[in-house]
Amino acid sequence: MESTMKEIRGDGAPCVLDMDDAATVGGGVEDTYGEDRATEEQLVTPWTVSVARFDDPQYFCVMNQFEYVCLYDLNVLLYRHQERKIMNNIRQYQLPLQKYMALMDLQEGNERLFYKLLIDNVEELLPIVYTPTVGEACQKYGSIFSRPQGLYISLKEKGKILEVLKNWPERSIQVIVVTDGERILGLGDLGCQGMGIPVGKLALYTALGGVRPSACLPITLDVGTNNEELLNDEFYIGLRQRRATGQEYAEFLQEFMSAVKQNYGEKVLIQFEDFANHNAFDLLAKYGTTHLVFNDDIQGTASVVLAGLVAAQKLISGTLADHKYLFLGAGEAGTGIAELIALEISRQTKAPIEECRKKIWLVDSKGLIVSSRKESLQHFKKPWAHDHEPVGSLLDAVHAIKPTVLIGTSGKGQTFTQDVVEAMSSFNEKPIILALSNPTSQSECTAEQAYSWSKGRAVFATGSPFDPVEYDGKIHVPGQANNAYIFPGFGLGVVMSGAIRVHDNMLLAASEALAQQVTEENFEKGLIYPPFSNIRKISAHIAANVAAKAYELGLATRRPRPKDLVKYAESCMYSPVYRNYR
Ligand SMILES: NC(=O)C1=CN([C@@H]2O[C@H](COP(=O)(O)OP(=O)(O)OC[C@H]3O[C@@H](n4cnc5c(N)ncnc54)[C@H](OP(=O)(O)O)[C@@H]3O)[C@@H](O)[C@H]2O)C=CC1
Ligand SMILES: CC(=O)C(=O)O
Ligand SMILES: [Mg+2]
């Protein structure tokens, strides 16, 4: 029967699952081993090998699991009790880093409970497993490191990368997040200690986007570090040598990319994360035509910011083309966002993209990017070198350009000064100000500063979370403009449609879906992003829109195309539920 797929149970016996069931049991896309499928519809016996692996964090062991009794209610009770107990324990810790370590221990020891906790308490725990705390964890990774959480591939493994990949115990990988640790958030080169980032991003792939944990593979490529402090740190976990560059780096990356394709096939999504910009753009351009690759810092960030700007038009009543944009920071995030905005304006107005780019200006460490600097600019900055006299500082650029939107992607904290925010507020009724740099210490300004300096008029969002601020008797809630809104749903959409390449229109589709999820209630609070508490629903919509675009572009390989893509996305999402025993 065509609509039937074979599953291998934990005890090795094949069980047959109808496709319709597969769409309702919530076991994650291509849940090959069936380990996440237990629901009312699919009963599993407790003596299969899959539930008896006491040492595996994916399986929660109940004391009497070998008894032939219905354990479902007991499980549910135990689960709820455990969840409350562990949240209570985590709340006892004073320091975010202690909470981070407790959560990492939980992920190691009881993966299902970790995800249950993360899903049910997403707004509280996101700042712990993700920015800002993950930044501190990476900085201190050497001293808090106990057990490896992902796969390290070092220069020493050159020539053997395929063998190293084969050592990873899970075979059916769908998403890889890989870093070489050179630009970890706004914290710079943290070498091997950057592993916290792929681990954290993939935890969000599962909790926010529903990709099965066993299908996720965090990888850190250890190509050395130029961070002198780490090179001299006795607890540093990586190679003590300066970074490989040029041909050596290129050959290592080439071997890695080929090995991934050979081992996991054409449809594994490789997310590049926190590479320095002198490698990131080239890697994306080179492998974008041969592999299923996505750069979160360039593309994911662009998609999330575009969504926020589209949503902001409801608060300001205009269109994207009505604005003038100024960026502080012309690297991966800055130029990535700028290009997607230009693309969307071009799509909306039918104007050539070169014309649309002229609405967008960027400032880097040397000042405003202008045509007289063109020859010396890195290639990704050249499209933004417009005709203008040289301008040195951000404040001068704000006065000269008079932008309606100011976006910070410099990785440098406190660069949106009082003068800058006041200047923005002097010629805009509602200035849009996005301080995207992470972690919190690198944010271009705080929420309190943005609201007080703009006298409560700024439409404001930040990369790392800030608490609501009361100004002049009104509560202002800053949104979190972070690619975490996009990549989990985007990845789910790619995986569930079997897409073989990422196309810019899929980023626009993700953006559109996110913007549509902002409600009137959110707008009333001044928010341009929906709350993270609804993120799984949001991710399902993003996934559906991305998948629809992949089908439309002829890039999707999964046939037949599911009729209702939102329902299909929801049905594909992993849920950390306990099984029904009989
Ligand atoms: N909120 C989110 O979702 C995301 C946030 N980010 C954050 O954005 C920041 C930047 O990331 P990314 O774009 O990848 O980094 P890059 O290194 O690629 O770019 C940084 C840019 O900032 C410029 N810059 C640095 N210092 C200054 C300064 N004092 N004044 C003016 N410009 C300056 C650099 O100038 P020059 O080129 O001259 O060196 C460069 O153009 C990081 O903090 C990162 O955490 C990144 C991705 C997603
Ligand atoms: C959020 C993110 O990807 C970054 O700050 O690099
Ligand atoms: Mg990043």
Side-chain angles (χ1 to χ4, degrees), residues 124-143:
E124 183 175 349
L125 296 183
L126 207 56
I128 308 295
V129 297
Y130 194 53
T131 184
T133 311
V134 72
E136 187 186 355
C138 289
Q139 288 176 305
K140 297 177 180 161
Y141 220 68
S143 45

Side-chain angles (χ1 to χ4, degrees), residues 26 50 132 155 203-204 234 255 278 285 332 358 365 394 458 477 512 530:
S50 67
L155 284 175
L204 304 198
E234 66 169 309
E255 185 187 336
H278 56 90
E332 293 167 64
K358 290 183 182 156
S365 65
L394 174 65
V477 187
E512 179 188 60

Side-chain angles (χ1 to χ4, degrees), residues 142-203:
S143 45
I144 65 172
F145 181 85
S146 54
R147 260 187 283 179
Q149 287 177 295
L151 188 63
Y152 292 87
I153 306 178
S154 93
L155 284 175
K156 299 256 183 278
E157 269 95 45
K158 197 154 181 276
K160 297 181 289 205
I161 296 180
L162 183 59
E163 276 172 60
V164 176
L165 284 178
K166 285 186 190 295
N167 284 336
W168 188 255
E170 301 292 347
R171 297 295 309 142
S172 116
I173 298 299
Q174 290 166 333
V175 184
I176 290 173
V177 176
V178 59
T179 188
D180 71 356
E182 193 167 4
R183 196 285 279 142
I184 295 298
L185 308 176
L187 302 170
D189 181 353
L190 296 185
C192 245
Q193 301 194 171
M195 180 58 104
I197 296 294
V199 168
K201 292 271 176 183
L202 284 166

Side-chain angles (χ1 to χ4, degrees), residues 315 477 517-531 534:
L315 293 172
V477 187
Q517 296 301 309
V518 192
T519 62
E520 285 305 323
E521 194 190 336
N522 304 147
F523 285 127
E524 273 162 30
K525 293 184 187 153
L527 282 167
I528 53 173
Y529 293 100
N534 287 340

